Amino acid sequence: MKEPLTLALPKGRLFKQVQKHFSEKGIIFDFEDRKLTAYDSKGLLKIILVKNSDLPTYVNYGIAGLGICGEDVIYETGLKFNNLLPFDFGGTKICLCGKQGEGEKKDLNGLTIATKFTEFTKDFFHGEGTPVKIIKLNGSVELAPILGLAPYIVDLVETGSTLKANNLEVIRTLKEIGVNLIANPSYYKTNYEKINELINILKD
Ligand code: PRP
């Protein structure tokens, strides 16, 4: 039997969407309770389950040759991968948000933004010529405007229900974010035949 390809998948809401897409293409897998590695039913893949923000690290070091990940996460790492296949699920938007009804002040200059996406936020606003102060958070970013840590946040918005539940709104969409199959470049070079077979199975 051929050696399986190694694929890192992120925990969280993207996982279920990946699992569903793969099963529609005949690649079935599941993780036993609390287990973090699994093989698919065809033996094509060894899958490891990692924290979303750690996924690029595993692929960069070749622990997993392949990964499925949002562009937001990759951007923060500054790492370079082969982008092999865009998926039509998991798409989201990265947005500047604030309290409902306050709108964007004419001048964001010097204002504070709380975010998980510090690199993206810095590059975006500084690229526009708007210096902003950035406070790094790792989650529950919506609390920042409510509790007075920062008037604005930059965060992912998918359904908008988290914003709504916290009386916040989108002020501006900064970027559409897609989900891709990525590869470690040297792993792709040495496994491109098997990887291309996988791409042919997965693409619509
Ligand atoms: C993400 C994001 C928002 C929420 C948006 O958080 O940071 O908080 O999802 O989704 P919605 O528009 O569908 O409500 P995640 O669930 O990854 O948790 P986190 O707050 O720990 O980052």
Side-chain angles (χ1 to χ4, degrees):
M1 200 174 98
K2 282 191 208 167
E3 185 79 2
L5 293 168
T6 51
L7 172 71
L9 295 183
K11 291 178 177 177
R13 69 174 95 184
L14 195 52
F15 175 78
K16 288 278 167 211
Q17 297 178 60
V18 173
Q19 195 182 32
K20 181 167 173 281
H21 182 79
F22 275 56
S23 82
E24 284 165 5
K25 304 293 178 188
I27 302 178
I28 315 287
F29 59 84
D30 210 349
F31 286 82
E32 286 169 35
D33 197 28
R34 309 301 296 166
K35 241 186 131 139
L36 299 172
T37 54
Y39 291 85
D40 76 290
S41 52
K42 291 183 175 168
L44 293 174
L45 300 170
K46 178 183 180 184
I47 304 166
I48 63 169
L49 197 56
V50 301
K51 192 174 158 67
N52 206 3
S53 53
D54 291 337
L55 194 145
T57 306
Y58 283 97
V59 179
N60 185 48
Y61 283 100
I63 306 304
L66 303 171
I68 295 181
C69 196
E71 291 162 330
D72 51 319
V73 174
I74 307 279
Y75 191 98
E76 289 304 302
T77 66
L79 295 167
K80 297 277 173 261
F81 302 104
N82 295 109
N83 255 340
L84 300 178
L85 180 66
F87 291 109
D88 60 8
F89 57 81
T92 175
K93 293 180 289 191
I94 191 161
C95 299
L96 176 70
C97 310
K99 283 191 194 160
Q100 273 173 11
E102 273 193 14
E104 187 173 355
K105 295 204 171 53
K106 282 197 189 82
D107 191 5
L108 280 175
N109 242 324
L111 286 182
T112 306
I113 298 175
T115 186
K116 285 186 274 193
F117 306 105
T118 53
E119 290 304 307
F120 174 83
T121 303
K122 177 171 61 91
D123 291 349
F124 186 93
F125 287 103
H126 293 187
E128 276 195 343
T130 307
V132 291
K133 286 182 205 144
I134 297 170
I135 296 179
K136 165 88 177 171
L137 291 175
N138 291 304
S140 301
V141 178
E142 292 82 0
L143 284 173
I146 300 170
L147 300 180
L149 180 65
Y152 296 110
I153 60 173
V154 165
D155 203 10
L156 296 179
V157 178
E158 196 173 345
T159 62
S161 50
T162 311
L163 286 181
K164 205 168 163 209
N166 291 289
N167 302 317
L168 303 174
E169 66 183 3
V170 172
I171 294 167
R172 209 165 134 200
T173 297
L174 307 182
K175 193 178 187 311
E176 303 282 338
I177 300 290
V179 170
N180 295 305
L181 176 68
I182 60 166
N184 173 300
S186 51
Y187 187 81
Y188 183 61
K189 274 186 205 144
T190 48
N191 293 278
Y192 68 93
E193 280 180 6
K194 271 196 286 181
I195 293 172
N196 287 340
E197 280 171 30
L198 177 68
I199 291 171
N200 282 331
I201 297 171
L202 292 178
K203 71 182 177 199
D204 292 314

